[in-house]
Amino acid sequence: MFSQITKILQTCDTDQGVLPPTEVYNEGWMLRLILDWFSKQPASDHQLSFEKGARWYSEILLPSQFLPRYQKDPQAEAYMHANGVIGHFSVGRSGKSDIDLHSDAKQFVVVEAKIFSRLSKGIKNFENYDQAARTTACIAETLFLRQGQISDISRLGFYVVAPENHLKFEPTFQTFLEKDSIRIKVLKRIRAYSDPAEVETKNKWFQTWFLPTLECIDIQCLAWEEIISHIRSNDRHNGDALSEFYEKCLALNQPKSKLSPTEKLSTQVT
């Protein structure tokens, strides 16, 4: 069956295609291809480099400190889907695609991939609890459940990958990733609880796990173009192939609304 699936996918951007080409040419597959390449390379100082023994996984579930306490809990949220994770972990301990970070993990990196979309500004029950704050809190909760020393993890990161020009013109990529913004929004999330005992418990988590995580974690925006250029400088063949794939992602996912000339994204990767 896998050979049949491959044949179907190969026709997606042809006249014989039976599914939209954006099912393949999108940020999710772009990230998977890049993580797969980095997983086969020697360790380096690049943000997406793999430590020895590390693995990657796509669309893994990260736990939350704010899971439902009871049915239809108005202050709750679900597990968070991470576009990509690099590190030392297992998957599916509870029968789902949830993460089980190893007690001796040396790397835990979460990657969010974007093409033309922005970081979400909030969730259903908390409209100002943005995607960056929520992701960082879920990273802290993962470390809390692991119960090891945060300082033992030599590579702890949260990276948002998007087109270079999109990073320049979309303000959420800069403001939401500021550590002060993340800290304030997570604290407000905790203070929204009405039960004093619940607030006390979550404040302890905030002080003991969230703030140390926020202090240690590397949070940055990365441009697809920079990553592809890095790959091309080390592996011309795969770099060129990724550049071509990326150009199709840009072309096929272009928003219908007209952009100003300064906001239009170039499909040329240098």
Side-chain angles (χ1 to χ4, degrees):
M1 294 303 294
F2 282 104
S3 61
Q4 186 176 347
I5 292 171
T6 300
K7 289 179 181 178
I8 292 172
L9 295 177
Q10 287 174 335
T11 66
C12 71
D13 62 342
T14 70
D15 292 338
Q16 291 75 42
V18 293
L19 76 167
T22 50
E23 290 293 315
V24 174
Y25 295 105
N26 56 50
E27 62 270 31
W29 277 108
M30 187 72 206
L31 180 62
R32 293 177 190 120
L33 291 169
I34 282 173
L35 294 183
D36 183 63
W37 183 88
F38 273 100
S39 71
K40 299 171 183 176
Q41 310 306 312
S44 71
D45 59 357
H46 194 279
Q47 292 90 337
L48 302 183
S49 175
F50 283 54
E51 291 289 298
K52 184 179 180 180
R55 60 177 296 187
W56 68 274
Y57 200 88
S58 175
E59 300 305 322
I60 200 168
L61 294 175
L62 300 184
S64 171
Q65 175 69 198
F66 309 104
L67 292 175
R69 298 163 294 172
Y70 49 85
Q71 191 173 11
K72 295 184 179 180
D73 183 351
Q75 293 175 307
E77 63 186 59
Y79 278 70
M80 192 197 81
H81 283 85
N83 287 163
V85 171
I86 305 168
H88 301 99
F89 58 88
S90 301
V91 183
R93 179 178 56 181
S94 63
K96 303 176 182 178
S97 293
D98 56 329
I99 191 167
D100 180 13
L101 191 64
H102 295 170
S103 59
D104 59 350
K106 298 299 182 184
Q107 183 174 24
F108 180 32
V109 171
V110 175
V111 187
E112 177 68 24
K114 303 289 186 183
I115 292 293
F116 290 106
S117 61
R118 63 184 67 181
L119 290 170
S120 63
K121 295 184 177 181
I123 59 176
K124 181 180 179 181
N125 295 330
F126 290 85
E127 61 181 18
N128 294 318
Y129 187 52
D130 65 58
Q131 192 172 5
R134 186 184 180 205
T135 300
T136 308
C138 287
I139 291 172
E141 178 68 3
T142 304
L143 296 173
F144 162 66
L145 294 175
R146 168 181 169 269
Q147 287 292 309
Q149 293 292 323
I150 296 173
S151 58
D152 289 344
I153 300 181
S154 55
R155 285 181 180 261
L156 181 62
F158 168 41
Y159 303 120
V160 177
V161 187
E164 186 175 30
N165 282 2
H166 197 34
L167 291 175
K168 292 178 181 178
F169 294 105
E170 172 48 55
T172 61
F173 291 118
Q174 303 302 325
T175 58
F176 287 3
L177 292 181
E178 292 177 357
K179 289 192 175 184
D180 277 347
S181 170
I182 292 171
R183 176 183 56 81
I184 290 169
K185 288 171 182 175
V186 174
L187 187 57
K188 286 182 177 179
R189 178 82 165 90
I190 291 171
R191 290 177 175 173
Y193 282 82
S194 56
D195 181 0
E198 191 75 38
V199 174
E200 182 180 358
T201 298
K202 295 193 182 309
N203 270 330
K204 183 177 180 181
W205 169 85
F206 182 82
Q207 295 292 334
T208 308
W209 290 98
F210 179 78
L211 289 180
T213 297
L214 189 63
E215 181 179 357
C216 295
I217 195 169
D218 183 32
I219 302 177
Q220 292 187 46
C221 290
L222 305 177
W224 292 114
E225 292 85 350
E226 178 277 325
I227 297 170
I228 295 171
S229 294
H230 171 84
I231 293 173
R232 181 184 274 158
S233 67
N234 291 276
D235 180 354
R236 183 75 187 191
H237 174 74
N238 280 301
D240 287 345
L242 282 167
S243 178
E244 182 179 350
F245 189 92
Y246 177 60
E247 289 171 7
K248 287 188 177 181
C249 289
L250 291 179
L252 292 168
N253 289 279
Q254 186 76 30
K256 293 182 180 179
S257 59
K258 293 183 179 180
L259 300 175
S260 67
T262 55
E263 293 176 317
K264 288 183 179 179
L265 291 169
S266 169
T267 60
Q268 298 299 315
V269 180
T270 57

